[in-house]
Amino acid sequence: MIDLSQEINELKRERDAKLKALYHGVGNLFKGIQSNVCPKKLTEELKKQIELLRVVEG
């Protein structure tokens, strides 16, 4: 039987990995917008990524 604290730690690691990936993606989108590469499309994608961050951070 898995210890409850082990389960919680595993969930935290998964959440942290998702957050790290999302923050990295958001940073890349900002760089793209700043370099004026399809800013409208990237801005829409940025909005989606930020909403995902809100969900994951809960």
Side-chain angles (χ1 to χ4, degrees), residues 27-52:
N28 286 339
L29 288 169
F30 272 123
K31 288 178 187 174
I33 291 168
Q34 288 176 337
S35 66
N36 211 21
V37 177
C38 301
K40 186 174 181 176
K41 183 177 180 181
L42 291 177
T43 300
E44 290 303 314
E45 185 61 30
L46 180 61
K47 288 177 185 177
K48 291 177 189 175
Q49 292 291 322
I50 289 172
E51 187 57 36
L52 283 172

Side-chain angles (χ1 to χ4, degrees), residues 14-26 53:
E14 289 174 11
R15 182 203 61 206
D16 291 347
K18 287 178 186 177
L19 284 172
K20 184 177 180 180
L22 285 169
Y23 277 115
H24 182 74
V26 166
L53 279 172

